[in-house]
Amino acid sequence: MKILIAASEMVPFAKTGGLADVVGSLPKALAKLGHDVRVVIPHYKQITEGRYLTDLPVPMDGHLETAIIRNASIKAGEQEIPVYLVDNYKFFYRDHMYCYVDEGERFNFFCKSVLAMLPYLGFQPDVIHCNDWHTALIPLFLKVRFMDEPFYRGIATVFTIHNLQYQGRFNKSILKNLGLEDKYFTPEELEFYGEVNFMKAGLLYADLINTVSAKYAMEIQTRELGEGLDGLLRKRALDLYGIINGIDYDEYNPATDRRLYENYDRNTLERKRYNKYGLQKELNLVVGDVPVVGLISRLVGQKGLDLVAEVIEHILQMGAQFVLLGTGDDYFEKLFADVKVKHPARVSINLGFDSTLAQKIYAGADIFLMPSRFEPCGLGQLISLAYGTIPVVRATGGLSDTITDFTAEPARGNGFTFTDYTPEALLDAITRAIRLYYDDPAAWAQLMRRGMSMDFSWNTSAVKYLNLYEKAVQKRKQRINRAV
Ligand code: ADP
């Protein structure tokens, strides 16, 4: 198959969260299965790679903007996967990747550029795999603008929801920028509580939709986690799938990861402790064999940080240390900075984005916390399993699909889970973990080994994506036949 994956971020070029990991690793698995897969993302200022390929005019609200298409690649074994980078100095030559007032214009431009570049590249994909709201206009433009053009007609689309909370909502005036008439501003189309909702375009116009775990696929059809779009998702329930994300074990392997203080694997587990000592030393914590609780996350409401703040004193009373790495809302940054002031020798708060420190924490911690309010898939728990670090998670979305509670199911548990979104429930799960760590080192080591031998690679999920792409292509063919 010829597959184009469009997204707003991708490892190793630009990353703020799990989406970048997925877009950096899924194509490798697809290429290894023998498919022609290519990726397109914006060329942000921070990206230094990218050889000039061509530039082309993109119509924007009555005038033309120039899309500069650059070319880079990533390796999948011996193969090279082309990565196209859409550049425009006005829209993407900025200090940050997101959160600008003209976000709607920026990603409208990106979506239009993606479609415009294909004939220039001579690349006619069978399917365009769009990810989150930044790319959600692509299925819409394909259907309402390009349906009659032979080059584009047969291109199917799959839209993946990585996080339903971020929808790309803008003032009605953005319609003109998109080149759409007022008839698209109705509740059946893009209107959403008085605004234009980009994600809706993906949900309405993509041939098939999926999200990143089976559980989240169910949850988003409920009022509680549907973010106001549950009605629309229920309407498309037959076209909505759940495919769990994988991780790239070439990148996340404690035996070879160069960012660690000391490499180790299942058979040399005793060496993992040097990562704890190294981490404690680097972060100015007391060095020693106490349980270290790690947390690496965007600091936003979704991640259950308010619960962590409520139980942190209890965690420390149990003799544990707490290491946080994250960036996000000022509120949480300040909250945790205050905890540090109170316990300088046992708490380390690292505010920023640092992939090297992240790996040192995955390896150096004993317990990894993810008490999310909701979690579409979650990668942190999968990475921590690979590093023999035991996840303590709230049983929601992908966390629920990947982590089994050890207390309830000792024969197959791989972490500790809790259900109620309360500090008491979280504390109960952490306490069970810390007790096992202290009281039964043999059982703890067995739990670590079990996590490290689990396979959350892309092998299975990439095949599921291929099936989904094929279904989308069939669906598109049927629609064209019906239209003839
Ligand atoms: P989300 O996509 O909601 O941010 P995930 O758990 O799916 O959450 O993925 C988060 C990814 O981003 C993981 O690879 C995690 O290690 C990484 N990450 C999050 N915050 C940071 C940070 N401050 N520094 C380095 N890596 C981070």
Side-chain angles (χ1 to χ4, degrees):
M1 282 190 110
K2 286 184 284 173
I3 303 154
L4 179 70
I5 298 181
S8 61
E9 51 183 85
M10 172 189 190
V11 167
F13 303 103
K15 169 169 173 175
T16 67
L19 172 63
D21 287 306
V22 173
V23 180
S25 52
L26 170 61
K28 292 187 191 173
L30 294 169
K32 283 180 188 157
L33 291 169
H35 299 275
D36 178 355
V37 54
R38 310 184 189 190
V39 186
V40 58
I41 61 168
H43 187 273
Y44 302 106
K45 184 176 167 187
Q46 70 193 78
I47 300 177
T48 48
E49 297 91 337
R51 204 168 37 85
Y52 173 89
L53 259 189
T54 185
D55 54 58
L56 38 105
V58 176
M60 293 278 287
D61 197 8
H63 70 282
L64 293 175
E65 288 283 347
T66 301
I68 302 166
I69 309 300
R70 301 184 186 279
N71 192 14
S73 65
I74 57 167
K75 280 225 175 258
E78 294 300 296
Q79 298 180 62
E80 297 240 334
I81 298 175
V83 178
Y84 302 112
L85 303 155
V86 173
D87 201 353
N88 172 288
Y89 296 113
K90 190 168 94 190
F91 289 127
F92 298 125
Y93 197 74
R94 301 184 186 184
D95 289 342
H96 302 283
M97 288 161 64
Y98 307 124
C99 294
Y100 292 99
V101 285
D102 58 347
E103 212 75 333
E105 283 90 337
R106 296 174 80 215
F107 287 98
N108 170 31
F109 171 77
F110 177 65
C111 291
K112 284 183 173 159
S113 304
V114 169
L115 290 172
M117 77 176 187
L118 295 175
Y120 280 79
L121 299 174
F123 182 60
Q124 189 179 26
D126 299 304
V127 61
I128 303 182
H129 178 180
C130 305
N131 296 278
D132 275 351
W133 73 263
H134 312 86
T135 55
L137 298 173
I138 292 173
L140 169 98
F141 290 146
L142 265 179
K143 290 222 172 111
V144 308
R145 288 277 167 269
F146 293 100
M147 199 52 188
D148 296 330
E149 295 194 27
F151 181 88
Y152 293 99
R153 262 189 108 190
I155 301 177
T157 51
V158 166
F159 180 71
T160 302
I161 303 164
H162 293 266
N163 192 329
L164 191 63
Q165 195 171 53
Y166 303 103
Q167 299 176 357
R169 290 161 60 171
F170 305 100
N171 188 280
K172 186 188 169 194
S173 58
I174 193 80
L175 273 188
K176 197 160 158 275
N177 195 262
L178 307 187
L180 296 176
E181 305 84 54
D182 273 358
K183 71 173 187 195
Y184 288 94
F185 197 67
T186 66
E188 291 71 37
E189 293 286 342
L190 305 188
E191 194 265 340
F192 187 77
Y193 296 98
E195 293 181 305
V196 173
N197 184 324
F198 278 25
M199 182 162 267
K200 258 185 113 177
L203 301 181
L204 284 166
Y205 285 92
D207 292 305
L208 291 175
I209 308 166
N210 81 299
T211 184
V212 288
S213 67
K215 178 107 187 240
Y216 193 60
M218 302 306 291
E219 289 171 340
I220 55 177
Q221 296 179 58
T222 66
R223 246 191 140 163
E224 197 193 347
L225 291 177
E227 307 285 350
L229 291 169
D230 44 298
L232 170 53
L233 288 162
R234 283 195 300 273
K235 254 193 216 158
R236 291 214 64 184
L238 290 177
D239 292 334
L240 171 61
Y241 294 79
I243 303 178
I244 196 84
N245 286 334
I247 57 170
D248 182 351
Y249 287 104
D250 291 338
E251 168 136 10
Y252 296 127
N253 180 354
T256 53
D257 193 333
R258 292 195 180 178
R259 297 164 288 198
L260 305 195
Y261 302 96
E262 178 95 23
N263 289 114
Y264 60 97
D265 61 23
R266 241 179 297 168
N267 303 315
T268 54
L269 260 191
E270 67 285 351
R271 286 207 214 135
K272 177 170 157 67
R273 78 170 56 150
Y274 298 111
N275 288 289
K276 167 154 42 185
Y277 303 152
L279 186 69
Q280 289 168 323
K281 205 163 162 217
E282 181 172 335
L283 301 179
N284 295 318
L285 299 172
V286 176
V287 177
D289 282 314
V290 295
V292 171
V293 178
L295 196 163
I296 302 168
S297 178
R298 293 182 296 114
L299 303 181
V300 295
Q302 171 197 341
K303 299 293 184 179
L305 303 162
D306 46 334
L307 297 186
V308 178
E310 291 211 42
V311 303
I312 187 79
E313 293 291 337
H314 297 280
I315 298 178
L316 299 175
Q317 272 163 23
M318 287 187 268
Q321 295 178 345
F322 178 66
V323 176
L324 177 141
L325 169 63
T327 173
D329 297 352
D330 289 348
Y331 171 78
F332 292 115
E333 294 202 348
K334 174 144 189 352
L335 189 72
F336 285 108
D338 288 347
V339 178
K340 164 81 189 164
V341 172
K342 269 177 86 182
H343 303 281
R346 290 197 289 148
V347 169
S348 170
I349 304 298
N350 306 277
L351 302 176
F353 196 93
D354 183 341
S355 297
T356 302
L357 181 58
Q359 291 322 110
K360 289 176 173 171
I361 296 173
Y362 282 120
D366 300 289
I367 293 169
F368 190 79
L369 277 192
M370 279 181 88
S372 308
R373 205 179 273 279
F374 70 92
E375 194 60 72
C377 175
L379 296 178
Q381 83 280 20
L382 304 182
I383 302 170
S384 71
L385 284 175
Y387 285 74
T389 302
I390 309 303
V392 172
V393 309
R394 177 150 179 271
T396 180
L399 295 172
S400 164
D401 284 355
T402 54
I403 305 300
T404 304
D405 187 68
F406 178 76
T407 316
E409 297 192 52
R412 55 178 213 105
N414 59 354
F416 294 86
T417 73
F418 66 102
T419 302
D420 293 343
Y421 191 83
T422 60
E424 291 78 22
L426 168 60
L427 186 59
D428 177 71
I430 295 177
T431 306
R432 285 186 280 126
I434 292 181
R435 282 228 179 98
L436 188 75
Y437 172 91
Y438 280 129
D439 297 348
D440 197 342
W444 187 264
Q446 201 192 353
L447 192 55
M448 289 163 74
R449 277 197 205 95
R450 186 180 290 165
M452 293 174 85
S453 48
M454 293 187 86
D455 181 6
F456 288 102
S457 67
W458 276 104
N459 294 345
T460 315
S461 292
V463 173
K464 289 189 180 162
Y465 269 104
L466 279 173
N467 288 335
L468 196 65
Y469 298 155
E470 269 157 20
K471 273 201 193 103
V473 169
Q474 288 312 321
K475 211 160 168 229
R476 171 54 58 118
K477 276 199 187 129
Q478 285 162 8
R479 191 163 299 163
I480 295 171
N481 289 341
R482 253 184 275 131
V484 172

